[in-house]
Amino acid sequence: MTAATIGKTPARRRRHSAVNRGQALSGWLFTAPVLIILGLFLLIPVLMAAWVSVSDWTGRGSPLSPGVHFIGAQNYGQVLWAGGLAESDFGTALKNNFWYVILVVPIQTVVALALALAVNRRMLRGRGFFRTAFYFPSVTSSVAITVLWLFLFSSTGAVNAVIAWFGAKGPNWFNAPGGIFHFGATSGPAWLTGHTALGVTWLDWLGGPSVAMTAFVMLAIFTTGGTFMLLFLAALQNLSGDVEEAAMMDGANSAERFFRVTLPQLRPTLFTVITLGLIGCWQVFDQIYTGTHGNPSKTTLTPAYLSYSAAFDNQRWGQGAAIAFILFVIIIVFTLIQRWVLSEKKVSRRRMGWITRARDNDIATGIATAAIVGRNNTP
């Protein structure tokens, strides 16, 4: 290295550092408007709600006024361990929403994947029509489709009329408070009725959703299946067929190819679909607000609606904010659980052999193609 080169190196480094600082400054300037908007309309309201959840704010004036005092976890305690009506209502809402999640998320995921597999077939005629038809309920107003659902599932509605064709009598969908797993029983053994969790007996926890909540479960599956179908469809169209062809050469049947080749490659999309499904199901509000307001007998009450009702109807703003943050923690916990369940697992030797065979086939095809091209170009 010459003396001239050594002399130029620090100057070059200074110019490079100045360019990096200029690029960083430009990046911050371009993102500043979005960051300011997010701070004003997202971060600050969240921090304000967190303060309200640990204060005695009554809804009058500013939450930051001197008359508002810090009361710690009192609002959280009223819905988690105080033992009053607030705890019982929160336990009932949590139980209802828990069964809603347990039923909706798996079913809507399976339905969306099945629809995507069906409309992805090349031999299917009118694929564009079916894709549009399946997706159409997802872009329909939730209020309008909830009103339609109330009409279809009324005691004299179309659903009960169809059930009557088979000689059975349909239930009174939005007026039956009993759990579907109670099978009409009004009492149970003492070890179920004598123990409670969050003010709700074990019998009610195990009783499943009410008939009315079951109707909302079907509504959620009907309206969200099309959106998740598109996500699965996009993932299926981006899959390489080499691994599946290698599995076919190895003698794998269609079920083995789906569960051991196709489904593992859909893991990122599956994680996205389940995460969005969990968030949407735990935040269900508009259907309850439009349809039943938690009735009959609070069997369609959800934490999101209870948070709204406590704050805006009963003026218990601290409880409403506390329920919202408890719901946030629940969503985070469920998301982490399903992320762990869907995490990468060790690849079996047989599947690894299919992948290796597919890679070897690609290499052999490339070599053969190059040889043919070389032979054709030889004079």
Side-chain angles (χ1 to χ4, degrees), residues 266-288:
L266 294 177
R267 184 179 284 112
T269 306
L270 196 63
F271 172 78
T272 302
V273 168
I274 295 179
T275 301
L276 294 177
L278 284 172
I279 294 173
C281 287
W282 278 112
Q283 292 180 338
V284 58
F285 170 80
D286 47 354
Q287 295 91 341
I288 308 301

Side-chain angles (χ1 to χ4, degrees), residues 15 51 69 94 116 128 139 154 159 198-199 201 222 242 248 250 282 303 324 375:
R15 287 196 300 269
W51 164 247
H69 305 93
L94 198 63
V139 297
S154 65
V159 174
L198 293 176
T201 64
F222 177 74
D242 296 334
M248 292 177 63
D250 206 29
W282 278 112
R375 188 184 305 116

Side-chain angles (χ1 to χ4, degrees), residues 53-67:
S53 70
V54 294
S55 69
D56 59 354
W57 186 54
T58 61
R60 298 181 179 87
S62 172
L64 303 177
S65 62

Side-chain angles (χ1 to χ4, degrees), residues 192-273:
L192 286 178
T193 58
H195 297 82
T196 62
L198 293 176
V200 181
T201 64
W202 290 5
L203 180 66
D204 289 335
W205 276 100
L206 298 176
S210 65
V211 176
M213 185 58 82
T214 306
F216 284 124
V217 167
M218 290 185 280
L219 172 62
I221 296 170
F222 177 74
T223 54
T224 59
T227 300
F228 297 144
M229 176 201 71
L230 291 184
L231 296 179
F232 280 123
L233 183 62
L236 287 171
Q237 292 179 347
N238 288 327
L239 296 182
S240 174
D242 296 334
V243 179
E244 187 169 359
E245 291 178 1
M248 292 177 63
M249 295 176 61
D250 206 29
N253 56 37
S254 58
E256 289 178 329
R257 294 197 304 272
F258 175 75
F259 286 105
R260 298 194 177 189
V261 177
T262 303
L263 196 58
Q265 296 181 83
L266 294 177
R267 184 179 284 112
T269 306
L270 196 63
F271 172 78
T272 302
V273 168

Side-chain angles (χ1 to χ4, degrees), residues 14-261:
R14 285 194 297 271
R15 287 196 300 269
H16 185 68
S17 178
V19 171
N20 287 339
R21 287 197 298 269
Q23 291 177 347
L25 180 61
S26 300
W28 281 109
L29 289 176
F30 277 111
T31 58
V34 176
L35 294 177
I36 293 173
I37 292 174
L38 289 177
L40 289 175
F41 297 101
L42 181 63
L43 181 60
I44 292 178
V46 168
L47 295 177
M48 292 281 288
W51 164 247
V52 170
S53 70
V54 294
S55 69
D56 59 354
W57 186 54
T58 61
R60 298 181 179 87
S62 172
L64 303 177
S65 62
V68 180
H69 305 93
F70 175 77
I71 59 174
Q74 181 176 333
N75 290 321
Y76 292 89
Q78 289 177 350
V79 298
L80 290 177
W81 59 77
L85 181 61
E87 179 188 349
S88 176
D89 285 347
F90 180 71
T92 301
L94 198 63
K95 185 262 298 184
N96 297 335
N97 215 150
F98 173 78
W99 281 108
Y100 183 87
V101 171
I102 290 297
L103 293 176
V104 170
V105 174
I107 297 176
Q108 76 179 1
T109 303
V110 172
V111 169
L113 181 56
L115 293 177
L117 291 171
V119 299
N120 192 46
R121 297 176 58 187
R122 295 181 179 180
M123 301 301 294
L124 179 66
R125 295 183 178 180
R127 287 182 297 172
F129 168 78
F130 287 109
R131 293 173 184 177
T132 304
F134 293 147
Y135 180 67
F136 185 74
S138 301
V139 297
T140 306
S141 169
S142 61
V143 174
I145 205 165
T146 302
V147 173
L148 175 63
W149 218 251
L150 294 174
F151 171 74
L152 293 176
F153 283 83
S154 65
S155 57
T156 57
V159 174
N160 281 353
V162 173
I163 295 175
W165 292 348
F166 298 94
K169 183 180 179 181
N172 196 355
W173 292 92
F174 293 104
N175 292 288
I180 60 174
F181 297 143
H182 282 160
F183 303 107
T186 57
S187 62
W191 63 276
L192 286 178
T193 58
H195 297 82
T196 62
L198 293 176
V200 181
T201 64
W202 290 5
L203 180 66
D204 289 335
W205 276 100
L206 298 176
S210 65
V211 176
M213 185 58 82
T214 306
F216 284 124
V217 167
M218 290 185 280
L219 172 62
I221 296 170
F222 177 74
T223 54
T224 59
T227 300
F228 297 144
M229 176 201 71
L230 291 184
L231 296 179
F232 280 123
L233 183 62
L236 287 171
Q237 292 179 347
N238 288 327
L239 296 182
S240 174
D242 296 334
V243 179
E244 187 169 359
E245 291 178 1
M248 292 177 63
M249 295 176 61
D250 206 29
N253 56 37
S254 58
E256 289 178 329
R257 294 197 304 272
F258 175 75
F259 286 105
R260 298 194 177 189
V261 177

